Amino acid sequence: MFSRANIVPLLVFFSFSSSYVCGQNQKIADSVRVIYLQNNLPDTAKLELLRTLSFYEVRDLRLSLQYAEELISLSTTLKNDLFLSRGYLQKGNKQRLLGNMNEALDAYIKSADAARKARSIEDEGSAYGAIGDVYSLLHNHSSAMIYYNKSIAILRSRNNPKRLASAILNAGDEFRRNDDYDSALYYFDESKHIFELIDYKIGVAYSLGNMGMVYMKIGNNNLAEKNFKNAIPILDSLNDYSPICDYLLSLAKIYLEQGKDSAALKHASQSLTLAKENNFKEQIRDATFLLSEINQKLNKPEVSLAYYKEYVLYRDSIENKDALQRIADLRTNFEVAKKQVEVDSLSRQQKLQRIILSVALAVLLVIIGLVIILLRNNREKQTAYTLLRKEKDLTEQQRDQTNKALQELKRAQAHLIQSEKMASLGELTAGIAHEIQNPLNFVNNFSEVNTELINELKEENRKGNYDAVNAISEEIIKNEEKINQHGKRADAIVKGMLEHSRAGTPEKRLTNINALADEYARLSYLGLRAKDKTFTATLHTDFDPQAGKVIMVPQEIGRVILNLVNNAFHAVNAKAKEAQSDFTPTVTISTKKTKEQLQISVKDNGTGIPDSVREKIFQPFFTTKAPGIGTGLGLSLSYDIVKGHGGEIKVNSETGTGSEFIVILPL
């Protein structure tokens, strides 16, 4: 995929915009339509024909959407979940192309549900990727990445490399649009590698072009130019001209920045000519604007003005889709609805428990009354005993129902606790991903540089220039040392991650408390930065050098530190959004060891905790965060973990000034 400002994400089956491909698809649709209109076709054959018609009909989107609706209707009648999933997927694709994002998102969600029922893992992965594309178009980065990652995880388990590489390419472009260039390059490089293995040339071209866009953004114009020039011939051979227009225009911008005005003029003109031949309005708009700038620099005001007038004409003719923002919250509403279902279920169980206990109490009172009556009336003793037995059986039945309700409640609580633990794992994963990307990027970059140096070494050796040979050899040795250094760094990070995720019952062992606190505080900061790039804060550490190693379960105490530091960052971030410009969000984590105990302190200068709330913060499910952001289990779990270690948590807080949480562990 390329220039997301101009092009929507790739459709699930990697259907690139190409006049040649569209023409071939339409021929297939016309041929299949003749077969479909024949009488006496079995319903199972109609399912596949309708799917083919909806997919390949490109001339009339409304007609294509009609075929998708017919496929959904017939699949529902036949109770065929597999084709129902594919019908909703095609409906979503057509609605997306028509600009109806709300309807597209609804169709994709239904496609994923139907695929799950049909146990079609590939179709479910494709639906998740399509949902990610919609959120990407709506500039909802966090939701887009949730579904891209779901799609990639599913497709990695299947033998369909084209779909997998397409999903990875889309996820990489989402990172590019959000200025996370390290992640973008990592994803683009993986997609290019997969496309090369299956000799899928157009996929290779798009991966190269996207990498060129990233290199251009980070100022590496040489690599950007190299990637663009490698991508353009491939796309030209496949008659896919839209991205060629973008890449030619990008080359023109590079040459203009380098002062190569004639080269910039040449490439911008080529882009405009190609865009006009294919009626690519957005590329015409961009090319005319750049040509206006170039001619202004070349002191050709009349030509510059003519191009600028043409730019304004095309700019105003392109439809403004600002209405799309109104459904940007649909994902949030969907997740809130799911959460509400869980909460409602828990409330119903608690209400049922209270009703059962009330009934049991009422029954017990009735039994007592009957016993009194029976004692007063000896003549009806036998009848009373019979009635008492029946009431006892009823009580036992009610008790069994009560126990069953309690078990259901415990399962619901365990589910929510597991969700909180997975949220903590998500925070760690986000931080670790950013930690490991840097050394891997260094390894890749120095390897590429060494390849170029070896070529230079061969050339200098052929010339007999041994001084240059020695100098280049030294550079190669230094680069190899750096590759080894950063490779070991990545290896250490991976080993640490495996240690954290180790299966089995956690065991207490000697743990360097200062290293543990520093690691989890840093991962908290990186995890929050991965979710919100506008987030910034100062993290101070004040570790007691005498703290040394302490016996504990490191995974559990690490989770406590992660929860406390996360809460501190949220508090200072909330205050930063309301405070004056001179406010500096600050979080301080410190350790202190005495003869009898170890103290871990997390202090912030955030919003503080009101007195009315302070007594409730360790209660399960209590939270002051907005719905969908917190479950209210973080501090509750932390309290239980510390208590399980024989320790306690103290809180000092002042509203508007900040808070301090102190974890005290016995030695």
Side-chain angles (χ1 to χ4, degrees), residues 334-614:
F334 179 69
E335 293 296 338
V336 169
K338 288 172 59 181
K339 181 65 178 177
Q340 191 60 47
V341 168
E342 296 177 5
V343 174
D344 290 344
S345 175
L346 183 61
S347 298
R348 286 194 297 271
Q349 292 167 0
Q350 292 173 335
K351 184 177 180 181
L352 178 61
Q353 180 185 3
R354 290 195 296 269
I355 292 173
I356 292 173
L357 291 175
S358 299
V359 171
L361 180 60
V363 171
L364 182 60
L365 291 174
V366 171
I367 293 173
I368 293 172
L370 289 173
V371 170
I372 294 173
I373 294 173
L374 289 172
L375 290 174
R376 289 179 180 179
N377 193 348
N378 193 44
R379 290 175 302 176
E380 299 178 1
K381 182 186 296 184
Q382 190 61 40
T383 304
Y385 278 131
T386 302
L387 181 60
L388 183 61
R389 173 63 60 184
K390 292 180 180 180
E391 295 297 341
K392 182 180 178 182
D393 292 340
L394 178 60
T395 302
E396 290 177 350
Q397 181 182 356
Q398 298 292 345
R399 182 196 61 197
D400 292 340
Q401 292 177 354
T402 302
N403 289 335
K404 183 178 179 181
L406 286 173
Q407 291 300 321
E408 291 294 329
L409 178 60
K410 289 179 180 179
R411 279 196 289 271
Q413 290 174 336
H415 174 71
L416 291 176
I417 289 171
Q418 182 63 24
S419 297
E420 178 67 22
K421 290 182 178 179
M422 291 306 295
S424 297
L425 182 59
E427 301 285 353
L428 289 175
T429 303
I432 290 169
H434 279 71
E435 280 281 284
I436 203 170
Q437 281 169 1
N438 288 331
L440 290 179
N441 287 336
F442 276 113
V443 170
N444 291 334
N445 290 338
F446 282 119
S447 297
E448 184 175 339
V449 170
N450 271 4
T451 300
E452 296 176 358
L453 288 175
I454 290 172
N455 291 331
E456 293 180 14
L457 180 70
K458 292 179 179 179
E459 181 64 22
E460 296 298 335
N461 186 54
R462 185 183 62 79
K463 295 178 180 179
N465 189 354
Y466 297 114
D467 289 339
V469 168
N470 291 332
I472 294 173
S473 299
E474 290 297 326
E475 285 295 320
I476 293 174
I477 292 172
K478 292 178 181 178
N479 288 346
E480 287 298 322
E481 291 174 352
K482 292 176 181 177
I483 290 172
N484 183 50
Q485 173 190 347
H486 290 289
K488 288 181 178 178
R489 180 183 169 198
D491 179 64
I493 293 170
V494 171
K495 286 180 179 177
M497 180 170 61
L498 292 175
E499 176 68 18
H500 176 78
S501 60
R502 183 176 58 175
T505 303
E507 297 179 357
K508 289 186 177 182
R509 62 177 185 272
L510 281 173
T511 303
N512 187 321
I513 185 60
N514 290 342
L516 184 73
D518 182 69
E519 175 190 1
Y520 278 85
R522 184 175 69 254
L523 291 177
S524 171
Y525 180 80
L526 291 173
L528 292 175
R529 282 282 295 167
K531 291 182 178 179
D532 182 7
K533 290 193 175 299
T534 63
F535 168 77
T536 181
T538 300
L539 177 63
H540 286 311
T541 58
D542 183 15
F543 297 138
D544 183 356
Q546 303 302 319
K549 294 186 176 182
V550 181
I551 295 179
M552 63 176 61
V553 181
Q555 297 96 326
E556 293 185 348
I557 298 301
R559 184 176 295 118
V560 172
I561 295 172
L562 184 70
N563 281 329
L564 296 180
V565 176
N566 279 346
N567 289 344
F569 279 136
H570 281 298
V572 298
N573 192 33
K575 185 174 180 180
K577 293 178 179 178
E578 302 173 357
Q580 303 296 325
S581 58
D582 58 349
F583 172 72
T584 302
T586 305
V587 174
T588 302
I589 180 169
S590 60
T591 59
K592 183 179 180 181
K593 184 178 182 182
T594 65
K595 291 183 179 180
E596 299 178 353
Q597 64 185 23
L598 171 72
Q599 293 185 5
I600 306 170
S601 167
V602 178
K603 186 176 182 181
D604 65 74
N605 62 344
T607 54
I609 305 173
D611 293 339
S612 59
V613 173
R614 196 174 306 167

Side-chain angles (χ1 to χ4, degrees), residues 154-218:
I154 288 175
L155 293 174
R156 283 194 192 280
S157 67
R158 314 305 296 171
N159 187 24
N160 194 327
K162 188 186 296 185
R163 280 191 182 184
L164 172 61
S166 304
I168 293 172
L169 188 65
N170 284 355
D173 197 63
E174 178 63 20
F175 279 119
R176 181 183 67 81
R177 292 179 64 247
N178 285 272
D179 302 331
D180 189 346
Y181 299 126
D182 288 342
S183 299
L185 284 174
Y186 178 84
Y187 276 72
F188 292 150
D189 185 65
E190 184 178 3
S191 67
K192 181 173 77 73
H193 177 69
I194 296 174
F195 284 135
E196 286 175 340
L197 289 176
I198 61 176
D199 195 27
Y200 195 65
K201 294 182 180 179
I202 196 167
V204 174
Y206 274 89
S207 299
L208 288 169
N210 274 341
M211 293 172 74
M213 291 289 188
V214 174
Y215 284 128
M216 184 176 172
K217 278 287 187 181
I218 63 179

